[in-house]
Amino acid sequence: MTSATAVAGTNIALVKYWGKRDQTLNLPAAGSLSLTLDRLGTRTRVAFDGGDGSADRIALDGAPAGQKFVSRASAFLDRVRGRAAISACATVETFNSVPTAAGLASSASGFAALAVAAAQAAGLDLSPVELSELARLGSGSAARSIFGGFVEMAPGSRADGHDAVAHALDSGAGWEVRLVVAITAAGEKAIGSTAAMARTAATSPYYGAWVRSVEDDLSAARTAIAARDLNGLGTVAERSALRMHASAMAADPPILYWNPATLAAMATVRALRERGVSAFFTIDAGPHVKVLCAAAEADAVAAALNGTAGVLRTLIAAPGPGARVVEAA
Ligand code: PMV
């Protein structure tokens, strides 16, 4: 049995995914659009070598992974084993260059890397679209990290989910943009995205309006990307993030991911814009703030965010390639 190592960059949605039309298959209620990043990501090695003899042996950042992580990864490997008609347990070694489960999209790069490495190690010959569908079963946003640059995820309409896959929208070639990530808290997020989406869909009076708003944002984002219009794209990204969070905040009990530093970083971004810097924030299921800007202004944006009360540190990421196998034996 072979082993394979894959790497995947995380992706940050500029038009957010928030809500599922099917929980089991992670079928999204609406489309989404993201940018895959270069330096924030996951490297994963998979070998179907029998694991520890009776179960999968799964390590995260050099130590045995926690129970929640192991059961999610093993359930995902079961799908790969089912498709490849193999029964061997696996050894998985995975390294994140982003803090796990902190709202820095480690599940996106994590399941993209796991899908690519596990499929290769199991001898499955899957196309990028098939890998996107497979990655989606681990985490909805992971379907997008199979591709590089600007990526769009289709909600699809089929019950089997074969059409709920991502595709590469635009490589971003010739457009020097960056995402500056402002980390505003240590540790894991309070509520995972799956549970939060389910609660929003079940209880938020704004959920229907949120889902109906996504199509217009997708179309505005596509137009802005084609025109290399940073202000246009940034405006959509802020609007989409705020609408997503508004729908979650209106859930019962409410879901509020922000902390005081999140709000302070948003104010910093607005102040930068008043000074003529094209910078726009987005926020995922956590308190961190990600700021889209031109490459030439990324250092100034990072400096402003570093000087913001409560911001612990910043990272600057560029657009990156899709998930890929880097070693196979
Ligand atoms: O992939 P999930 O199920 O962790 O959901 C990700 C949800 C957001 O990051 C908040 C938005 C998005 O589109 O990535």
Side-chain angles (χ1 to χ4, degrees):
M1 200 45 78
T2 59
S3 81
T5 302
V7 295
T10 194
N11 72 78
I12 299 299
L14 302 172
V15 176
K16 297 296 186 197
Y17 151 54
W18 195 252
K20 304 184 192 203
R21 64 180 172 89
D22 180 293
Q23 287 245 25
T24 328
L25 295 176
N26 278 339
L27 303 180
S32 57
L33 190 154
S34 59
L35 182 61
T36 300
L37 302 181
D38 61 346
R39 56 175 286 211
L40 300 173
T42 304
R43 180 185 185 93
T44 298
R45 179 179 173 275
V46 176
F48 289 99
D49 57 0
D52 70 5
S54 57
D56 295 318
R57 180 170 46 202
I58 299 178
L60 171 62
D61 294 329
Q67 195 41 54
K68 232 168 77 187
F69 190 97
V70 168
S71 43
R72 242 180 121 182
S74 275
F76 185 82
L77 291 169
D78 285 342
R79 294 184 184 270
V80 175
R81 281 187 279 257
R83 279 182 77 152
I86 56 176
S87 57
C89 290
T91 297
V92 176
E93 288 152 8
T94 190
F95 295 90
N96 275 334
S97 61
V98 293
T100 304
L104 276 177
S106 63
S107 74
S109 55
F111 279 107
L114 184 60
V116 171
Q120 171 85 23
L124 293 172
D125 186 19
L126 302 186
S127 69
V129 164
E130 289 170 317
L131 286 168
S132 178
E133 186 182 355
L134 178 62
R136 190 205 68 225
L137 297 168
S139 168
S141 56
R144 299 186 307 236
S145 272
I146 296 298
F147 301 98
F150 292 99
V151 175
E152 184 169 348
M153 173 81 190
S157 55
R158 292 172 56 139
D160 63 12
H162 287 332
D163 54 355
V165 290
H167 72 273
L169 181 68
D170 190 314
S171 68
W175 199 15
E176 288 294 319
V177 295
R178 295 290 181 270
L179 265 182
V180 182
V181 180
I183 296 174
T184 63
E188 298 216 350
K189 59 190 167 196
I191 169 167
S193 49
T194 296
M197 285 182 201
R199 191 193 298 167
T200 304
T203 67
S204 173
Y206 303 162
Y207 178 69
W210 151 252
V211 170
R212 285 191 299 278
S213 77
V214 174
E215 196 49 55
D216 280 353
D217 283 349
L218 285 171
S219 140
R222 279 185 219 115
T223 305
I225 290 166
R228 302 293 191 249
D229 172 7
L230 183 57
N231 289 337
L233 182 59
T235 302
V236 179
E238 280 197 4
R239 179 168 80 211
S240 176
L242 289 173
R243 286 177 177 172
M244 173 203 127
H245 283 273
S247 74
M249 282 178 209
D252 187 14
I255 298 157
L256 181 55
Y257 285 111
W258 303 352
N259 64 25
T262 313
L263 282 161
M266 288 158 73
T268 294
V269 171
R270 292 207 174 103
L272 281 165
R273 271 212 302 276
E274 274 160 26
R275 301 207 317 257
V277 179
S278 287
F280 301 86
F281 61 77
T282 183
I283 306 163
D284 292 301
H288 314 297
V289 178
K290 294 118 188 190
V291 182
L292 179 70
C293 63
E297 293 180 321
D299 285 338
V301 169
L305 289 166
N306 277 321
T308 300
V311 170
L312 304 177
R313 62 193 174 102
T314 56
L315 305 159
I316 301 177
R324 62 222 173 266
V325 173
V326 291
E327 252 178 66

